[in-house]
Amino acid sequence: MSVTEMKSSLVEEIKEWKRKRNAILLAHNYQLPEIQDIADVLGDSLALARAAGNTSADVIVFCGVHFMAETAAILNPEKTVLLPDLEAGCSLADSITVDQLREWKAEHPGAVVVAYVNTTAEVKAESDYCCTSSNAVEIVRSIPEDKEILFLPDMFLGSFVKNETGRENMHIWLGECHVHAGIASHQVEGVLTQHPEAELLVHPECGCSTSSMYLVSEGVLPAEKTHILSTGNMLKHSKNSDAEEFIVATEVGIIHQMQKQNPEKRFVPANPEAVCPFMKMITLEKVLAALKENKHIITVPADTAERAKLAIKRMVSIG
């Protein structure tokens, strides 16, 4: 049997088991192409959280990383939430612990805590709001201006939000996603030199996002061709834009969907090595095993889930 035939057989078996278990497959835009292609819902963190909260399925198979499956479990305590590989973690979520957050809050009594969705359930439970890259600016703008804000854990997204909102009373945790932090401004400028007519799409988690904002203000990067966007908004923009070529500064997995939606356009990674090993851990074989053997059930303690749910619900209601 060829590799193509084997994949086709796995996909058919996955579909059969989905029907048997009334299951839904949620997949992030950074997943392997074959996982993206079988997803019932493919999207960024906000879209997937909304899908998890609205599904009538009995079983949610989360093709993403651990914090995403936790979020689904918090929103659906009565459903079975499966993560096909328990090792699928997140370096950004690991950059702050709940004890560190409690200490930070003690230093700033009365501050409003805004936690990026890339955090553990315990951290979410200590937060007032969750946010994603697509609605972080709107969430911060919704908070009264006299309120001090603690934004965590991504320093690049935090810097972007602070710049967009002009909030001087916003403190930023110095965490980062190791993949996005590795996309540097000199790489972006180098690719732009080779593709001068391309539009530049930058994820706000990227190490180049702050410098990109500065270079736009200095006229080095063309403002009309530079867009700092979430993965979901990158997909929308590339579909709606008249441009024929795009430089993509985020994890390279998204390019599969961009190319699929726009076969006549060209997408160039700012850094071809921007690959998240955690996002690539989930395979067709592991999805099938999850459905057949309940691998691996993700649960969150009831007290933690109850406190985290308010911050998550605020996130999904804005933007």
Side-chain angles (χ1 to χ4, degrees):
M1 187 182 291
S2 69
V3 173
T4 302
E5 289 172 330
M6 286 175 64
K7 282 187 178 180
S8 179
S9 176
L10 279 168
V11 168
E12 288 308 310
E13 200 169 354
I14 287 168
K15 288 178 179 176
E16 182 182 343
W17 275 92
K18 274 173 52 187
R19 286 192 293 270
K20 284 181 183 177
R21 301 202 60 189
N22 186 28
I24 186 172
L25 263 61
L26 307 183
H28 193 272
N29 293 319
Y30 297 154
Q31 288 288 297
L32 291 169
E34 55 263 36
I35 299 298
Q36 294 187 38
D37 290 344
I38 64 165
D40 296 301
V41 179
L42 177 69
D44 58 14
S45 297
L46 183 58
L48 296 178
R50 285 175 172 155
N54 294 328
T55 184
S56 60
D58 297 319
V59 177
I60 299 170
V61 181
F62 218 113
C63 301
V65 293
H66 196 274
F67 76 81
M68 296 177 179
E70 275 190 336
T71 301
I74 290 166
L75 293 171
N76 297 279
E78 76 289 355
K79 299 182 188 297
T80 300
V81 177
L82 303 174
L83 180 64
D85 192 324
L86 279 179
E87 297 301 311
C90 173
S91 61
L92 180 55
D94 290 342
S95 68
I96 186 167
T97 66
V98 68
D99 289 336
Q100 287 173 319
L101 175 53
R102 286 171 181 153
E103 288 174 15
W104 201 26
K105 286 171 68 175
E107 294 168 7
H108 301 273
V112 176
V113 179
V114 179
Y116 194 25
V117 71
N118 300 46
T119 46
T120 64
E122 290 79 12
V123 167
K124 289 181 176 74
E126 288 289 331
S127 303
D128 299 295
Y129 292 83
C130 280
C131 71
T132 69
S133 54
S134 61
N135 70 356
V137 170
E138 290 173 274
I139 283 175
V140 167
R141 281 181 175 151
S142 75
I143 298 167
E145 290 187 7
D146 62 335
K147 285 287 187 181
E148 197 174 14
I149 294 175
L150 304 182
F151 189 95
L152 62 100
D154 190 83
M155 60 183 174
F156 299 114
L157 177 61
S159 295
F160 171 71
V161 172
K162 188 172 185 177
N163 181 75
E164 289 291 298
T165 60
R167 290 294 287 256
E168 293 301 324
N169 58 351
M170 180 172 155
H171 308 281
I172 301 168
W173 188 260
L174 298 181
E176 63 179 29
C177 159
H178 74 285
V179 176
H180 279 118
I183 303 175
S185 57
H186 72 270
Q187 293 170 323
V188 171
E189 290 179 65
V191 179
L192 269 171
T193 301
Q194 298 168 25
H195 304 271
E197 298 304 312
E199 286 196 349
L200 173 61
L201 309 182
V202 181
H203 194 284
E205 273 186 47
C206 286
C208 63
S209 62
T210 304
S211 58
S212 293
M213 288 187 290
Y214 171 75
L215 293 173
V216 167
S217 69
E218 292 294 302
V220 177
L221 292 179
E224 71 279 3
K225 291 185 178 181
T226 304
H227 310 277
I228 299 179
L229 302 166
S230 67
T231 56
N233 284 327
M234 282 185 181
L235 286 164
K236 289 177 188 173
H237 181 85
S238 61
K239 193 172 184 179
N240 295 329
S241 172
D242 291 331
E244 296 179 357
E245 193 170 37
F246 301 84
I247 294 166
V248 184
T250 189
E251 209 274 356
V252 297
I254 196 173
I255 291 178
H256 171 70
Q257 201 58 215
M258 286 177 158
Q259 201 68 73
K260 193 174 174 181
Q261 289 183 357
N262 308 279
E264 75 289 356
K265 297 179 181 180
R266 176 174 166 79
F267 298 91
V268 182
N271 179 354
E273 296 180 6
V275 179
C276 176
F278 301 115
M279 282 286 186
K280 303 299 189 266
M281 286 181 172
I282 294 175
T283 62
L284 292 174
E285 290 84 356
K286 290 176 183 176
V287 170
L288 180 59
L291 285 164
K292 291 172 74 172
E293 304 167 36
N294 257 11
K295 288 183 174 179
H296 301 271
I297 298 174
I298 302 299
T299 58
V300 177
D303 59 333
T304 301
E306 192 58 36
R307 289 187 296 129
K309 187 179 288 185
L310 176 60
I312 295 169
K313 287 195 168 182
R314 285 173 170 168
M315 174 185 77
V316 298
S317 69
I318 296 176

